[in-house]
């Protein structure tokens, strides 16, 4: 691994927001959502994701750690982002489906980009591993021996989920929200087993949250199907 | 916009201002109190205070959005929106500036810290503590 003079992490972190907001805004413009709603929604999404990203770490540590010690949690950020879209959907019900599905589509892309940042500095790293493509960090904090490059595997997995989600969006497929939410939950749940912080645990907090997300996506799917059945039955 | 709508919109905007300002005052109050008691106590209060401040201020922004979307003709809501956007932009600029200053300061102290954000955080915590 190369040594960086300035940490590349913030660039990937901020870059993930910039790219996601640009793509989501273009999608919302295509759905004829007013510019003002897009701007207000973007502001709420950025603030709530950042707040969620920090709060998740604080709650997980039982408020025993400081704000700067816990860092940013991507799962907390995703919870904040989804909550922001749901709130905006309640305020502006005409664009509820567009607002939620646009950000659900870009969510895996954001995660994929931010994981490259994690990879570059060695946080969220994988389990000890000596096989092909093993990574050895040699900076001051992360002298841990060879580890599995889980961040890159996560990044590729979530980029693939994004391409599936975007294709679904372009083809105007129904049920984007539950399908993408379920794919992200399954991806995150499975890959969490290969992370260093999972060692010694049966299920990590992240995996429990993923199970909750999976249940929510199943519920959305069932409710949608039930409603559609009602419409077809004329009730 | 009817008188009733105007009253409703003004009420939402005033509630939004209250939700934005109260945690700022509470934050300043706690900082002053912490200056007179031990540094360890301030570290324990900081995390829950962040949660309280964040939730109140997010509520303030959500209320502003409600006012702006439901009553688009209201000047009060429009002004509030621009004030909040300016606050968010300023907060982002100051955070980036603080981060740059911190990295420069750490790099000046030690060569080994220059590429290491993980080390920046404990130093920042120690400085705040």
């Amino acid at each position: 691994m190369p040594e960086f003079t300035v940490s590349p992490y913030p660039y990937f972190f901020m870059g993930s927001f910039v790219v996601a907001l640009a793509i989501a805004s273009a999608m919302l413009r295509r759905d004829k959502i007013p510019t003002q709603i897009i701007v207000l929604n973007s502001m709420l999404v950025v603030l709530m994701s950042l707040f969620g990203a920090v709060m998740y770490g604080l709650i997980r540590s039982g408020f025993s750690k400081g704000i700067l010690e816990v860092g940013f949690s991507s799962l907390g950020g995703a919870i904040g982002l989804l909550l922001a879209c749901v709130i905006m959907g309640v305020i502006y019900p005409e664009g509820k489906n567009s607002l939620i599905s646009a950000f659900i589509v870009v969510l895996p892309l954001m995660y994929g980009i931010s994981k490259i940042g994690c990879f570059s500095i060695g946080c969220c790293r994988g389990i000890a591993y000596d096989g092909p493509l093993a990574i050895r960090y040699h900076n001051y904090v992360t002298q841990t021996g060879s580890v599995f490059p889980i961040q890159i595997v996560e990044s590729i997995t979530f980029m693939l989920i994004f391409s599936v989600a975007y294709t679904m969006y372009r083809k105007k497929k129904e049920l984007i929200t539950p399908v993408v939410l379920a794919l992200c939950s399954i991806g995150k749940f499975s890959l969490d087993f290969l992370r260093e912080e999972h060692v010694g645990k049966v299920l990590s907090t992240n995996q429990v949250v993923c199970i909750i997300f999976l249940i929510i996506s199943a519920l959305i799917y069932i409710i949608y199907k039930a409603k559609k059945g009602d419409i077809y039955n004329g009730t | 916009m009817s008188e009733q709508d105007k009253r409703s919109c003004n009420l939402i905007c005033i509630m939004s201002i209250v939700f934005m300002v109260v945690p700022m005052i509470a934050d300043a109050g706690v900082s002053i109190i912490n200056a007179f008691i031990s540094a360890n106590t301030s570290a324990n209060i900081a995390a829950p205070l962040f949660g309280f401040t964040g939730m109140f201020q997010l509520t303030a922004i959500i209320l502003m959005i409600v006012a702006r979307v439901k009553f688009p003709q209201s000047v009060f809501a429009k002004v509030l929106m621009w004030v909040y956007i300016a606050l968010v932009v300023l907060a982002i600029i100051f955070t980036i500036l603080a981060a740059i200053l911190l990295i420069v300061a750490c790099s000046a102290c030690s060569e080994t810290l220059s590429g290491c954000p993980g080390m920046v955080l404990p130093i920042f915590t120690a400085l705040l503590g």
Side-chain angles (χ1 to χ4, degrees):
Chain A
M1 288 287 288
E3 273 192 62
F4 297 104
T5 312
V6 175
S7 169
Y9 181 80
Y11 300 107
F12 284 104
F13 184 76
M14 288 188 280
S16 71
F17 275 95
V18 173
V19 172
L21 288 177
I23 296 174
S25 301
M27 289 160 75
L28 291 172
R29 287 294 294 168
R30 222 179 78 147
D31 289 350
K32 297 191 170 43
I33 301 293
T35 310
Q36 183 183 272
I37 298 293
I38 297 173
V39 171
L40 292 173
N41 186 54
S42 301
M43 186 167 92
L44 197 60
V45 159
V46 171
L47 294 174
M48 284 191 73
S49 341
L50 291 174
F51 182 67
V54 178
M55 278 309 284
Y56 183 84
L58 288 175
I59 293 168
R60 206 166 62 161
S61 73
F63 287 99
S64 61
K65 289 183 178 174
I67 296 158
L68 295 162
E69 284 172 278
V70 292
F72 291 105
S73 156
S74 48
L75 205 54
I79 296 169
L81 183 146
L82 293 174
L83 267 176
C85 293
V86 170
I87 290 168
M88 204 61 199
V90 172
I91 297 171
Y92 184 70
E94 302 92 318
K96 187 172 77 180
N97 290 341
S98 299
L99 289 166
I100 295 174
S101 58
F103 279 93
I104 282 277
V105 167
V106 295
L107 191 59
L109 180 69
M110 279 180 89
Y111 189 77
I113 296 172
S114 60
K115 279 293 139 188
I116 304 172
C118 295
F119 177 72
S120 65
I121 60 160
C123 66
C124 312
R125 59 188 169 272
I127 50 171
Y129 167 76
D130 268 330
L133 301 174
I135 297 293
R136 182 183 286 273
Y137 291 101
H138 49 77
N139 60 25
Y140 185 74
V141 175
T142 49
Q143 286 175 333
T144 53
S146 293
V147 290
F148 186 74
I150 185 65
Q151 305 99 321
I152 286 296
V153 176
E154 280 187 295
S155 183
I156 294 167
T157 308
F158 278 83
M159 297 275 191
L160 287 173
I161 295 175
F162 167 70
S163 59
V164 171
Y166 193 71
T167 311
M168 283 180 79
Y169 171 81
R170 292 287 293 187
K171 291 184 175 173
K172 296 196 181 296
K173 295 267 184 196
E174 292 172 337
L175 294 166
I176 295 179
T177 305
V179 170
V180 178
L181 208 54
L183 284 175
C184 290
S185 308
I186 294 166
K188 176 87 180 152
F189 181 89
S190 319
L191 294 172
D192 213 62
F193 285 109
L194 298 170
R195 279 174 70 164
E196 189 190 51
E197 65 175 33
H198 191 278
V199 175
K201 292 175 191 163
V202 180
L203 278 181
S204 65
T205 318
N206 286 350
Q207 287 174 315
V208 174
V209 175
C210 285
I211 293 171
I212 295 168
F213 268 126
L214 203 57
I215 294 168
I216 292 170
S217 53
L219 283 175
I220 296 171
Y221 182 84
I222 292 165
I223 291 166
Y224 180 84
K225 285 286 176 191
K227 273 187 181 172
K228 209 172 179 187
D230 284 348
I231 292 163
Y232 285 139
N233 294 334
T235 53
Chain B
M1 204 161 78
S2 69
E3 273 303 307
Q4 180 64 34
D5 283 353
K6 211 172 179 178
R7 267 203 299 273
S8 306
C9 183
N10 288 349
L11 184 67
I12 294 170
C13 291
I14 289 164
M15 276 169 63
S16 172
I17 293 169
V18 170
F19 274 103
M20 182 58 81
V21 173
V22 164
M24 286 178 182
I25 296 168
D27 208 4
V30 170
S31 301
I32 293 165
I33 293 165
N34 278 335
F36 294 99
I37 54 177
S38 72
N40 289 336
T41 319
S42 76
N44 294 335
I45 293 169
L49 188 68
F50 170 80
F52 159 81
T53 308
M55 270 193 272
F56 265 64
Q57 293 186 334
L58 281 173
T59 309
I61 288 169
I62 291 166
L63 285 171
M64 176 275 287
I65 294 173
V66 170
R68 194 75 192 103
V69 173
K70 301 290 176 196
F71 309 99
Q73 284 146 342
S74 166
V75 179
F76 193 177
K78 198 172 188 175
V79 170
L80 206 57
M81 179 185 77
W82 283 111
V83 169
Y84 286 173
I85 287 174
L87 282 176
V88 170
V89 171
L90 281 176
I92 291 168
I93 291 169
F94 280 117
T95 308
I96 292 170
L97 278 178
I100 292 168
L101 283 173
L102 201 65
I103 289 165
V104 170
C106 290
S107 304
C109 295
S110 168
E111 276 294 309
T112 50
L113 299 180
S114 57
C116 178
M119 202 55 219
V120 169
L121 298 185
I123 291 171
F124 203 4
T125 316
L127 288 173
L128 289 174

